[in-house]
Amino acid sequence: MANKESVKPFKRHFEYHNHLLDDATKEMNEWTGENKVVEIHLFQMFSEVFKTHDHDAAEALFIVGTRETTPSLEAVSVTPVKPWLFSRVFALLGVSFFLLAMLFLVFRSNNAVPGMIFIGSLTVPFSLMMMFFEMNVFQNISVYQLLTVFLVGGILSLVATMILYSLIPSGNGVSLGSAVIIGFIEETAKMLVIASFINRFHLNYIFNGLLVGAAIGAGFAVFETAGYTGQYGLVTLLMRSWQAIGTHTIWSAIMGAAIILAKDRHQPVTGSNMVAPKFLRFYILAIGLHAAWDWNAPFAVLNILYLQQWLLIAVGWLAIFVLINAGLREARTLQGQRILKKTQLG
């Protein structure tokens, strides 16, 4: 009896937090147009990561997006996404960084430092980008297009950021007001580049927006981290590397999906889309996450084991899971409409 009584507080605590999670996903899901709780099954989503996959399976993922390899709408998979290749990309880059670090530490080779900076900056953002590439169930963006967005889009977003910084005083980035301005500048710069690539490639699906946004955010993150590491040393690289799981790549992915949500299908992104509630809510969320990340909050508890960063990472990924759910819902709806149309014509 005593054991059962002692378990009750933990059970109530778990149920309370589960209720909060359901409320949060339902609220965000309403932003996408559906009034339902989004169930998050992490183990199911990443269940393929720990299974064996041969080279043919990996190569099949890399050749999608061409005229011959883009599936028809009827052939698009609408089952829950289960990415796995990104983990192999992460392992490859991680091993490469480790070998370069050994070259530097054992043989005192300073020639290894540029490689460490590049690979260390690349590992997490690029792996995340590959995860979104796998999750693009429409498979209508090729690796060549993706690398173009990653490199050119990442650099263009930095250029746009510098232009906005020259026009808008941003302060030191530590105070709340300054952090909000910096969040607004950098997320707006990336948003403009994301919108331009969505128009350039004539993209129309939520998963496309997630991928293009992630690619531009990843490019931004890689170049920014490499620059900061050059200024402040390898400790900065290590800190920013693990934190990259919840910063620019996912913030930009959120905005990319929101742009698709706000625009009319098969129509280009316009200025009116940028003031639509479906976009503005997620755009403000991205700015808020960025600002809260930079803000030196006056609460000591948030500094314990990087609690502030972990909380923001959790909120960012919560939005990503909601948008993944919206993307699958969109694919199912489009397939249903196509079947209905064929039935009517038949």
Side-chain angles (χ1 to χ4, degrees), residues 61-82:
L61 290 171
F62 275 112
I63 63 173
V64 303
T66 67
R67 189 185 301 273
E68 292 78 20
T69 58
T70 299
S72 64
L73 182 59
E74 291 84 354
V76 167
S77 172
V78 294
T79 59
V81 292
K82 295 181 180 180

Side-chain angles (χ1 to χ4, degrees), residues 17-293:
H17 283 87
N18 195 47
H19 181 69
L20 286 179
L21 180 63
D22 287 347
D23 287 346
T25 60
K26 184 178 179 181
E27 174 65 26
M28 284 189 191
N29 203 24
E30 287 177 357
W31 300 355
T32 72
E34 183 184 54
N35 185 23
K36 289 183 180 179
V37 170
V38 175
E39 295 183 1
I40 298 173
H41 303 287
L42 285 177
F43 291 109
Q44 179 186 20
M45 180 174 174
F46 296 111
S47 59
E48 293 294 318
V49 168
F50 303 103
K51 295 181 181 179
T52 301
H53 299 273
D54 58 27
H55 290 292
D56 290 340
E59 289 171 356
L61 290 171
F62 275 112
I63 63 173
V64 303
T66 67
R67 189 185 301 273
E68 292 78 20
T69 58
T70 299
S72 64
L73 182 59
E74 291 84 354
V76 167
S77 172
V78 294
T79 59
V81 292
K82 295 181 180 180
W84 60 270
L85 183 62
F86 78 96
S87 64
R88 277 51 168 183
V89 173
F90 176 79
L92 174 63
L93 292 172
V95 169
S96 300
F97 180 81
F98 176 78
L99 292 174
L100 286 166
M102 290 300 98
L103 185 63
F104 173 69
L105 295 172
V106 176
F107 296 99
R108 307 294 181 182
S109 175
N110 290 328
N111 291 333
V113 173
M116 290 174 62
I117 294 174
F118 175 70
I119 298 297
S121 301
L122 188 71
T123 300
V124 174
F126 191 84
S127 301
L128 285 176
M129 181 186 74
M130 292 306 301
M131 186 189 74
F132 284 103
F133 177 70
E134 288 184 81
M135 291 193 300
N136 178 28
V137 297
F138 297 96
Q139 296 185 332
N140 58 336
I141 298 175
S142 68
V143 170
Y144 175 75
Q145 289 174 309
L146 182 64
L147 291 178
T148 299
V149 177
F150 170 70
L151 292 171
V152 178
I155 295 170
L156 284 177
S157 61
L158 286 169
V159 171
T161 296
M162 291 301 103
I163 293 173
L164 290 177
Y165 272 132
S166 68
L167 299 174
I168 304 173
S170 59
N172 58 12
V174 176
S175 67
L176 180 58
S178 177
V180 170
I181 294 172
I182 289 174
F184 168 77
I185 289 173
E186 296 191 6
E187 297 312 311
T188 299
K190 290 185 291 178
M191 177 267 291
L192 294 172
V193 178
I194 293 167
S196 69
F197 273 100
I198 287 174
N199 281 345
R200 179 184 174 186
F201 293 144
H202 308 289
L203 302 176
N204 298 291
Y205 307 120
I206 293 171
F207 277 115
N208 296 167
L210 281 168
L211 176 54
V212 168
I216 288 170
F220 187 102
V222 169
F223 294 122
E224 185 181 58
T225 295
Y228 281 135
T229 302
Q231 294 180 60
Y232 304 114
L234 293 175
V235 173
T236 299
L237 175 65
L238 297 176
M239 287 293 299
R240 290 182 62 89
S241 291
W242 75 261
Q243 293 176 350
I245 61 173
T247 56
H248 288 292
T249 305
I250 67 167
W251 299 338
S252 299
I254 290 169
M255 289 192 295
I259 290 172
I260 298 292
L261 280 168
K263 85 180 190 74
D264 295 324
R265 194 175 305 283
H266 303 300
Q267 296 298 318
V269 181
T270 63
S272 61
N273 303 140
M274 299 297 100
V275 294
K278 280 188 176 181
F279 170 74
L280 282 177
R281 289 166 180 155
F282 284 107
Y283 171 60
I284 292 171
L285 174 64
I287 292 174
L289 288 171
H290 192 150
W293 190 280

